[in-house]
Amino acid sequence: MAHDIHIIGGGLAGSEAAWQLARRGYKVRLSEMRGGGDMTPAHQTDGLAELVCSNSFRSDDDEKNAVGLLHHEMRRLDSIVMQAGEVARVPAGSAMAVDRDIFSAEVQRALTEHPNITVVRERVDALPDSGPTIVATGPLTAQSLAESIVTATGSDRLAFFDAIAPIVHRDSIDMSKCWIQSRWNKRTEASNEDGDYINCPMTKEQYEAFHQGLIDGEKTEFREWEKDTPYFEGCMPIEVMAARGVETLRYGPMKGVGLDNPYDTTEEHPQGRWPYAVVQLRQDNKLGTLWNMVGFQTKLKYGAQIELFRTIPGLENAEFARLGGLHRNTFLNSPVVLDRQLRLNKAPHIRFAGQVTGCEGYVESAAVGLMAGMMAAEEMAGRDWTPLPRETAMGALLSHITGDADATHFQPMNVNFGLFPPFEERVHKKARKEAYTNRAKESFGRWLEGMERVPA
Ligand SMILES: Cc1cc2nc3c(=O)[nH]c(=O)nc-3n(C[C@H](O)[C@H](O)[C@H](O)COP(=O)(O)OP(=O)(O)OC[C@H]3O[C@@H](n4cnc5c(N)ncnc54)[C@H](O)[C@@H]3O)c2cc1C
């Protein structure tokens, strides 16, 4: 079958993109290397849309949770991932969990039975020179294709250990204990007026207890195949640094020099003394709602992270938009190399979708695949794409990866309310999550009405 568009990668994003295009009447060639003699180090089967680790699509609460809201929007767009998820659903409280084999089989059935989709079990080794293409090869993109992407984008490398440091919601930080200042008050043109870092000071006792907590905390182990991948820019998990000696962090990411603690003033230091140690947070998005714990990439287990990081002064009630982690990943510096419609700036016939664009998570990857499929369909129909409003979950995620994130420190991101534009009027904290979802649903409904409805 001659095809209108080539999709590379039959994971969550590629499968969803194929479905969206096929439903709109476009003929799709879907190339998946598993089943054609190749495998990734994490996949176990040849099935399309295989879930490589947990079986959870996380919260299904579309009233108070950002990923639940993403489920809602995807359902409204007839997502195959959400439909197959319903078929494969297993009990998991307010979360949506699935039987991974049934889920994958259901996606595969829907795609292979669709007359507009041809699934070809083949590895693609280079980006096509022409013709509409969607690349959705995921965090474990095969080496040859990764090299071709590196050449096309001009990046120096694509696969590395993802140094994920935790991200904290700004409004959960207790600013009566922390202050904003850049070390030595250094400024650049892009600096905020007061400084660029939130500083959480620690006394000697607090630091020593914290250091011990890092040493004792439960860690996740590297898998065998992860052992050969280099760290990204020499980044080191914080607990590995801590294990080198009690002072190592005080000369590294936790050094207090050049920071004047306004809560610790003396006659000699009216501006404030330098803290014994400090935890710094750096703004992570343009909205200023999310702050990244600088240098805190970690392999501590999630429960251990929450417990330990909430002992940091000012973070006692911290809410984490994302916790730290370290695993092999492959992703583009999307804010720089992609346009707002996920097209490669240097080769706009190629779109990217899924985790390789710098989103994080099964649902997010599928959502970006869904958007890429819709965008490609609109383009092939000769219509202008109507941008998704920023207040929607899909719009917020897309805005983040295609431009709003800080490109110099770009890291994969889960959907969360910190990516949504804040309210202009004051909304009480308790009512905020519901207010976000109400606003998003209204906005999404208007956007959907404006789009041409597609017959199922
Ligand atoms: C080890 C690991 C564990 C993870 N655990 C979770 C988790 O528990 N929960 C969660 O929400 N997210 C998790 N993620 C993150 C992410 O959500 C998943 O990786 C998700 O599957 C990404 O979807 P995707 O469609 O972008 O990529 P994938 O689902 O990986 O799909 C990409 C597809 O492309 C194929 N492919 C690769 N290169 C080529 C090529 N050159 N030619 C043809 N086909 C190719 C692959 O075989 C694969 O089928 C994990 C990631 C990793 C690496």
Side-chain angles (χ1 to χ4, degrees), residues 8-15 31-34 38-40 42-43 47-58 122-125 136-146 223 225-226 327-329 353-356 359-366 414:
I8 309 173
L12 287 150
S15 298
S31 298
E32 169 52 56
M33 70 177 186
R34 289 177 294 116
D38 289 281
M39 198 36 106
T40 80
H43 287 82
L48 298 179
E50 179 186 331
L51 305 178
V52 286
C53 189
S54 100
N55 66 333
S56 173
F57 290 169
R58 317 203 306 279
E122 62 181 0
R123 195 186 67 219
V124 175
D125 286 334
T137 43
L140 304 167
T141 295
Q143 187 59 28
S144 44
L145 185 64
R223 298 184 192 196
W225 55 270
E226 288 179 316
H327 66 78
R328 200 190 120 188
N329 205 349
Q355 181 111 352
V356 74
C359 62
E360 171 86 30
Y362 298 147
V363 184
E364 288 84 345
S365 297
N414 286 127

